[in-house]
């Protein structure tokens, strides 16, 4: 394959990548917009949504470590976000007794209610930006 063909293929990949980033940015902005009146951002919602899925029953726990990599934030940014959600009474953190390094997080009743309330708004935003 000549360098022209390699450059053309590279340019196509770059264009595809920029399209993906544009869709991501547009989607995150739209989710932020619809959740803002409820005091949440897109990343806040992601954490609540994963917890609602991973730890569906009252009192179910999820390791914070399981959220890393699924929420696209650094570990320290995720810790700050969880701290904010905890301050707002939406989640509770606890330290694992067997393994002092393990931190668990669970949705509170208030967190469950808010998640259920905003879930349709987030899904509508996805529908609009990803199918629109």
């Amino acid at each position: 394959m000549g360098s022209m063909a390699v450059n053309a293929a590279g340019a196509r990949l770059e264009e595809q990548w920029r399209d993906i980033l544009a869709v991501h940015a547009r989607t995150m902005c739209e989710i932020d917009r619809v959740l803002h009146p409820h005091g949440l951002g897109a990343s806040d919602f992601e954490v609540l949504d994963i917890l609602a899925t991973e730890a569906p029953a009252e009192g179910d726990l999820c390791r914070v470590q399981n959220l890393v990599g699924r929420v696209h934030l650094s570990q320290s940014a995720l810790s700050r976000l969880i701290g904010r959600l905890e301050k707002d009474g939406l989640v509770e953190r606890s330290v694992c007794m067997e393994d002092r390094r393990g931190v668990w997080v669970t949705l509170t009743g208030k967190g469950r209610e808010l998640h259920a309330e905003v879930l349709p708004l987030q899904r509508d935003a996805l529908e609009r930006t990803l199918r629109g």
Side-chain angles (χ1 to χ4, degrees), residues 36 38 40 50 53 71 81 87 106 109 113 115:
H36 186 263
H38 300 270
L40 295 174
I50 292 167
T53 308
V71 178
L81 189 155
K87 199 167 97 297
T106 184
E113 280 172 24
H115 174 262

Side-chain angles (χ1 to χ4, degrees), residues 46-47 49-51 53-54 62 64-73 78:
E46 278 311 305
V47 169
D49 200 43
I50 292 167
L51 290 176
T53 308
E54 296 282 305
C62 178
V64 169
Q65 205 49 46
N66 294 357
L67 297 171
V68 176
R70 294 184 63 189
V71 178
H72 300 286
L73 296 172
L78 177 61

Side-chain angles (χ1 to χ4, degrees), residues 5 15 21 31 40 63 69 94 98 112 114 118 123 127:
E15 199 177 315
L21 291 177
I31 293 169
L40 295 174
R63 283 182 80 97
S94 54
E98 296 79 57
R112 262 169 225 293
L114 184 58
V118 300
R123 296 300 194 256
E127 185 76 36

Side-chain angles (χ1 to χ4, degrees), residues 61-123:
L61 299 172
C62 178
R63 283 182 80 97
V64 169
Q65 205 49 46
N66 294 357
L67 297 171
V68 176
R70 294 184 63 189
V71 178
H72 300 286
L73 296 172
S74 67
Q75 189 145 8
S76 62
L78 177 61
S79 268
R80 286 193 302 276
L81 189 155
I82 290 171
R84 204 173 64 246
L85 294 175
E86 188 174 36
K87 199 167 97 297
D88 292 343
L90 302 174
V91 304
E92 280 171 3
R93 274 189 284 200
S94 54
V95 175
C96 176
M97 286 307 151
E98 296 79 57
D99 171 10
R100 284 290 186 198
R101 292 166 317 211
V103 179
W104 298 87
V105 64
T106 184
L107 277 176
T108 61
K110 181 181 173 185
R112 262 169 225 293
E113 280 172 24
L114 184 58
H115 174 262
E117 187 185 330
V118 300
L119 181 65
L121 301 175
Q122 190 262 5
R123 296 300 194 256

Side-chain angles (χ1 to χ4, degrees), residues 29-40:
C29 284
E30 182 60 13
I31 293 169
D32 277 338
R33 188 184 70 74
V34 300
L35 298 184
H36 186 263
H38 300 270
L40 295 174

